[in-house]
Amino acid sequence: MKGMETDDLVKSQLLQKAAQQRQEIESEMHELTDRTEKVLTNALIIGGALALYFLVRGFASSKKKKARKGKAKAKSTETDVAEENEVYEESGPSRILSQIGTAVASQATVLLLDLAKEKLMEFLHAQAQKKANENS
C-alpha cells in the first residue's frame, strides 16, 4: 500500500513539474514571439527606408546627368570638348563600379524586403492559426 501511495505522490509531483515547465515554455514562446515581431517590424522599416533612399538617389543622379548634358550643348565647341572629357572621365571604371554597386545594393534590398515580407506573412498566418486554435 505504501508503495502505491509513494508512486501516486511521485506521479502527481512529476505532473505538476511538467505543467509548470509547460507554462514556462509557453511564456517564453510569447516573449520570443513579441521580440521576433519587433525585430521584423524594425527590419521592414529599415529595409523600406533603404529602398526609398536608393530610389531617391537613383532619380536624383539621373536628373543630374540630364542637366549636365543640357549644359554641355549650350556652351561653345571648346567648352564642349572639355565638358565631354569630364563626362568621359566620370564614366570611367570607378563610375561604372559605383553604378554596379548601387544596382547590386538595390537588388539586395529588394530581395531582403521580399524575404522579410514572406517571413512576416508566415508569422502572421501562424499567429492567426494559433489564436484560432486557442479559441476552439
Side-chain angles (χ1 to χ4, degrees):
M1 279 273 194
K2 201 170 196 179
M4 291 182 94
E5 289 175 6
T6 308
D7 288 343
D8 289 340
L9 181 63
V10 170
K11 187 176 179 179
S12 67
Q13 287 176 346
L14 288 175
L15 288 174
Q16 287 176 351
K17 285 182 182 179
Q20 182 182 6
Q21 288 177 350
R22 184 178 297 122
Q23 289 175 347
E24 289 175 4
I25 289 172
E26 286 177 0
S27 67
E28 287 179 19
M29 285 298 295
H30 287 295
E31 290 176 18
L32 182 62
T33 302
D34 292 341
R35 282 187 276 160
T36 303
E37 191 173 333
K38 288 178 184 177
V39 167
L40 286 174
T41 303
N42 287 341
L44 286 173
I45 291 170
I46 291 169
L50 284 173
L52 182 63
Y53 169 76
F54 285 121
L55 284 173
V56 169
R57 185 175 169 193
F59 286 127
S61 66
S62 66
K63 288 181 182 178
K64 286 180 183 178
K65 288 178 186 176
K66 289 179 182 177
R68 287 181 184 160
K69 287 181 181 179
K71 287 181 182 178
K73 289 180 181 179
K75 293 184 179 183
S76 67
T77 54
E78 291 178 17
T79 311
D80 284 344
V81 172
E83 193 74 25
E84 287 176 10
N85 288 339
E86 284 182 31
V87 172
Y88 180 75
E89 289 173 5
E90 287 178 355
S91 65
S94 64
R95 181 70 178 164
I96 292 172
L97 288 176
S98 174
Q99 290 175 346
I100 290 172
T102 302
V104 169
S106 297
Q107 291 298 320
T109 301
V110 168
L111 179 68
L112 289 174
L113 284 173
D114 187 44
L115 180 65
K117 181 187 85 168
E118 288 177 17
K119 293 295 181 182
L120 182 61
M121 293 301 291
E122 289 174 9
F123 174 75
L124 292 174
H125 183 66
Q127 289 297 320
Q129 283 183 340
K130 191 176 184 181
K131 286 184 181 180
N133 290 341
E134 288 177 359
N135 292 335
S136 296

